[in-house]
Amino acid sequence: MVAAAGSGERAGAMKKGRKARNSPRAADVRERLAALDVKIARVREREQRLALRRLYRAGYFAVRFRNGEFAEMFAKAFPAEGRRPSTVSREEARRARLAAKQGSGSGARGREAGVATADPPAARGATMTAEERERLDPAGVLDDQESLQALDAEIARVREREERLALSRLDRAGYFGFRITNGEFAETFAKVFLTETRRPSTLARLEGRRVAHYAGQRARDARRKALLGGFVVAQCRHKAEVHAALVPDIGEWLMTHRNAAVGAKNVETLSGFFADAADKGLSGPPVNSRKARKERTHRLILLGAWVLARRERLKELRDLVAEELARFLDQGRRAALDKALLKDVLGK
């Protein structure tokens, strides 16, 4: 009888608990908790974006820090005592009080709901496949070179990793618990974190490599293509039969771009030249503006990229390069340098 009574009491308590949890008031609390979770996640994401901007401006990502060292220096630089709580910490406190009143503790905790960052962005570049490496594609016309693509992909990967680490360090150090103004953060960070010489970060080294590569190899590549494009234009203007023979192949090659829309745009870019070898878009216009020069250079680079891709396979072009290119380069003010730049094309 005693056991039966005890079982009845437990069943009654469980029934009463279920009623309490399913009451309109409990449902309202759960709804408010869910709304707070969404707000906390939104505010924390906003604060994380602000934190990353501050770190970039302060120079954090250019140098290396150890985890323990960073936490210790941050605590000294930004003591929490006497500071106003941040918006995210106030919302988390509200959620904790509301959850305590409900007494169930259901749902995710406020800090846990917002601590994760948003889904990491996809890498802004991807390493080329073996098939892409084997063929010369019109994608290489401007800055889509294989080595730059690979470097961009690595920079994107390292940047994403370093941003996650930075946010984790700030979170452990208590940064998101109180308010710091932009000016205070920049000034204090420089005084405390950047006074001594530090090793450059992996991200800084990769970005330095890209700058050097961009200014060197890319500039040389663009110059090579522009010279060859100028050569094609000169030959087509002097020989109508050359223009008629080459234009169809140029158009077909441009349309082999892996992105059909880009291929069509490149064809449109050269439409004036296709119609008339003396098109003004490939010579100095009366108003030689920066925009006009950029557009003219782009057209020449498109033609130069075609020369590099087709010079071994198209007999008309191969013969033209062998017979006329050296003579064309000799007319320039930098003949020796230009010939050295196109040594592989000249075959000398």
Side-chain angles (χ1 to χ4, degrees), residues 1-12:
M1 292 294 291
V2 175
S7 298
E9 289 176 359
R10 285 195 298 273

Side-chain angles (χ1 to χ4, degrees), residues 5 43 57 73 82 133 155 187 209-210 232 244 263 293 299:
V43 172
R57 286 197 295 264
M73 294 176 73
R133 282 195 295 270
I155 288 172
E187 182 180 355
R209 281 176 54 195
R210 198 204 187 284
V232 171
R293 291 196 301 273
R299 295 185 184 100

